[in-house]
Amino acid sequence: GQQVMVAPLLQPDLREVVDPNGIPRIDLPRVVVVGCGFAGLKFIKRLNSRNYQIVLFDKNNFHTFQPLMYQVASSGLEPDSIVYPIRKLFNNKKNFHFRLTDVTNVDMEKKTVSTTIGSIDYDFLVIATGATTNFFKLSNIERFSFTMKSLRESLDLRSIILQNFESALNTTDIKVRERLMNFVIVGAGATGVELAGALAELKKKILPKDYPDLDIRSMQIHVIEAADRVLPSMSSMSSEKALAALKAMDINIWLNTFVQDFDGKKVTTSEGDFFTETLIWSAGVQGNPLNNFESHLNQSKRIETNEIGQIEGRENVFAIGDVASIQTIAEGKGHAMLASVAEQQGRHLAKNLNALAKGKSMTGFRYKDKGTMATIGRNRAVVDLPFISFGGFFAWVVWMFLHLMLLVDFRNRLIVFVNWAWNYVSYDRGLRLIIRKGPNREN
């Protein structure tokens, strides 16, 4: 018979169409996003991926709802209530690629991002790496204190709180027991106030049942604040209401007081010493920038940008969220480091890049202040809206409703709502399990 020639299947040279980390090269501009906090999440959700290829790098494979992290630390919620897997968030988004990695360097001349899994070219770079704790160069406090800037840190703090009471049961040394049962929170912003209220509720309703052999009444909660009022970024009315609520819960408030040192057992302050094994630092945050941006940082380590979010001299490099500081706002200090600012910046930058793809020009960011709020515990909260400030039970209901609605999906909302409802009816708080050995701070 006739011999038929079969042509070999054409194999594309994958080295030319796929980057070393497996991300395909396609005929769309590539937007590399670093960080999936509130700003990065909102930006990716709103960016039209028919016009752009989106590559997200993050060191975690989940997005964390940080405003409720204190409830994880105080056994009020389980971690799965406030996190959501990144891949599940964007599994229906075209031309989207996620890689779990650390970004090690950015070369703005060559337009490349280096990571622990290789480097990648970008057409646009969006830095949304958020904030980290600012210890104000107090090295001992950095070494010995506990913080709540990540889910891991919150779980460490939860374990330490519970371990302290187990250890207090096992010691006959009264001074050691007092140190174990004293908690010092530095910073009376929303995080500090909310954690203090949660600890006070543990003291009142939960711990006496869990530890009947301990005199829980000797547990002390101290909140130390350098300013002259609690919640200094909120209205004076909210500060007064919050202070009254904290004092009603037997929380010791120390205003105009500066922390100077901590050796793991004694806190040295401008108003005297406090003896504790648990110092919780919520007194400051700073930007968490990538390498190679030193010349673009302000005093708070935030990347300075123009109103569009661009870095000086780089039209294709943007910074949004807590890591960014628009130079014209508040004398170059930028907007407050709030989730609402980050979300609005992410949404606005996506709108700008969507406009750019259609040949339209970009516009400057304008923050719409929708208000701030803080809860101080059961039936107590304060809310500042642009036109009114109020507190009490109604403020607490508003705080709960808004936080539920801000959670990423229905499952998270349902879990948190059921937890809160159960806690409210039964005066019980979560599963108080010590599943992480607290960090050895002596190393």
Side-chain angles (χ1 to χ4, degrees):
Q2 193 177 358
Q3 201 170 15
V4 179
M5 297 291 290
V6 179
L9 288 170
L10 289 172
Q11 292 288 338
D13 185 350
L14 290 177
R15 287 171 302 177
E16 291 181 9
V17 294
V18 177
D19 276 313
N21 35 37
I23 294 166
R25 295 184 183 184
I26 59 175
D27 62 347
L28 291 177
R30 178 183 284 162
V31 180
V32 172
V33 184
V34 186
C36 191
F38 287 108
L41 171 68
K42 193 61 76 173
F43 170 74
I44 294 168
K45 278 199 157 188
R46 294 298 178 96
L47 187 64
N48 188 342
S49 56
R50 291 192 188 94
N51 299 327
Y52 296 99
Q53 182 191 49
I54 306 166
V55 178
L56 170 63
F57 293 133
D58 200 296
K59 60 185 178 181
N60 298 309
N61 73 334
F62 53 83
H63 164 80
T64 307
F65 188 74
Q66 288 194 327
L68 292 180
M69 211 127 68
Y70 80 94
Q71 293 210 1
V72 173
S74 59
S75 303
L77 291 173
E78 290 307 301
D80 69 326
S81 329
I82 65 161
V83 296
Y84 202 78
I86 286 172
R87 292 190 180 280
K88 194 173 177 184
L89 273 169
F90 302 115
N91 59 9
N92 294 321
K93 197 156 186 89
K94 285 182 174 180
N95 301 320
F96 170 81
H97 306 273
F98 168 64
R99 294 294 181 267
L100 183 69
T101 183
D102 284 309
V103 172
T104 53
N105 203 25
V106 172
D107 188 328
M108 288 185 278
E109 297 297 331
K110 294 180 180 173
K111 296 204 288 187
T112 60
V113 176
S114 300
T115 75
T116 49
I117 56 168
S119 66
I120 190 171
D121 299 332
Y122 65 81
D123 296 294
F124 297 95
L125 174 62
V126 177
I127 303 159
T129 44
T132 186
T133 305
N134 187 355
F135 294 100
F136 303 102
K137 298 181 180 176
L138 296 166
S139 56
N140 278 347
I141 286 170
E142 184 170 357
R143 183 180 169 197
F144 291 115
S145 69
F146 294 92
T147 55
M148 281 194 305
K149 284 307 290 178
S150 73
L151 192 64
R152 193 173 289 111
E153 289 173 352
S154 296
L155 287 168
D156 282 341
L157 181 55
R158 175 198 287 202
S159 288
I160 281 294
I161 290 167
L162 297 171
Q163 283 171 5
N164 280 5
F165 290 100
E166 299 294 342
S167 300
L169 269 177
N170 296 331
T171 183
T172 53
D173 188 322
I174 293 169
K175 286 188 176 178
V176 171
R177 187 181 296 153
E178 281 179 358
R179 283 204 311 267
L180 287 163
M181 293 173 66
N182 281 354
F183 296 88
V184 174
I185 299 167
V186 184
T191 303
V193 163
E194 288 172 348
L195 181 63
L199 287 176
E201 290 187 338
L202 277 176
K203 175 183 175 180
K204 186 177 180 184
K205 296 291 181 184
I206 311 299
L207 296 172
K209 288 186 241 174
D210 279 6
Y211 299 96
D213 301 338
L214 266 180
D215 184 3
I216 299 296
R217 290 173 300 177
S218 59
M219 172 185 171
Q220 294 292 323
I221 303 161
H222 301 276
V223 177
I224 299 175
E225 171 57 53
D228 59 358
R229 60 192 180 102
V230 301
L231 299 175
S233 64
M234 293 185 71
S235 68
S236 54
M237 192 216 79
S238 289
S239 291
E240 287 166 20
K241 282 185 177 294
L243 181 64
L246 290 164
K247 289 193 168 177
M249 298 170 86
D250 289 330
I251 296 167
N252 304 292
I253 308 294
W254 304 86
L255 301 174
N256 301 305
T257 303
F258 295 86
V259 173
Q260 295 156 343
D261 205 358
F262 177 53
D263 62 5
K265 293 182 171 60
K266 182 177 79 174
V267 187
T268 309
T269 79
S270 57
E271 295 296 313
D273 298 338
F274 296 82
F275 294 92
T276 180
E277 304 236 339
T278 315
L279 175 72
I280 301 157
W281 187 261
S282 65
V285 287
Q286 61 187 18
N288 185 30
L290 301 173
N291 291 338
N292 268 25
F293 287 88
E294 287 79 6
S295 61
H296 298 280
L297 303 182
N298 68 7
Q299 285 182 320
S300 302
K301 289 195 176 179
R302 297 171 79 181
I303 299 170
E304 294 184 334
T305 74
N306 61 16
E307 291 187 338
I308 292 172
Q310 294 162 317
I311 290 163
E312 189 182 354
R314 304 286 171 184
E315 287 188 358
N316 63 337
V317 181
F318 303 86
I320 53 174
D322 287 356
V323 76
S325 170
I326 296 175
Q327 287 174 280
T328 53
I329 304 296
E331 292 146 8
K333 291 179 182 175
H335 291 97
M337 290 166 147
L338 297 171
S340 55
V341 176
E343 285 197 328
Q344 286 183 37
Q345 283 187 335
R347 193 182 301 126
H348 187 79
L349 181 57
K351 183 180 164 190
N352 268 338
L353 286 190
N354 289 339
L356 200 65
K358 295 175 184 173
K360 297 178 182 175
S361 57
M362 297 193 283
T363 60
F365 172 71
R366 292 285 180 272
Y367 175 54
K368 294 188 181 82
D369 185 3
K370 295 177 180 176
T372 51
M373 56 186 71
T375 180
I376 308 115
R378 184 187 182 86
N379 298 345
R380 294 181 173 109
V382 287
V383 173
D384 281 349
L385 299 177
F387 49 88
I388 191 172
S389 296
F390 56 97
F393 177 76
F394 181 60
W396 181 68
V397 172
V398 169
W399 180 92
M400 282 201 303
F401 175 76
L402 283 174
H403 280 71
L404 277 177
M405 289 302 102
L406 287 169
L407 284 163
V408 170
D409 83 328
F410 179 74
R411 176 187 171 274
N412 293 57
R413 289 174 199 153
L414 187 63
I415 292 172
V416 172
F417 177 74
V418 168
N419 264 285
W420 284 350
W422 178 253
N423 293 348
Y424 192 79
V425 173
S426 68
Y427 287 91
D428 199 2
R429 291 179 72 87
L431 296 168
R432 294 175 293 284
L433 307 178
I434 301 171
I435 50 175
R436 303 165 68 86
K437 192 175 185 300
N440 181 1
R441 298 172 303 166
E442 297 303 319
N443 293 337

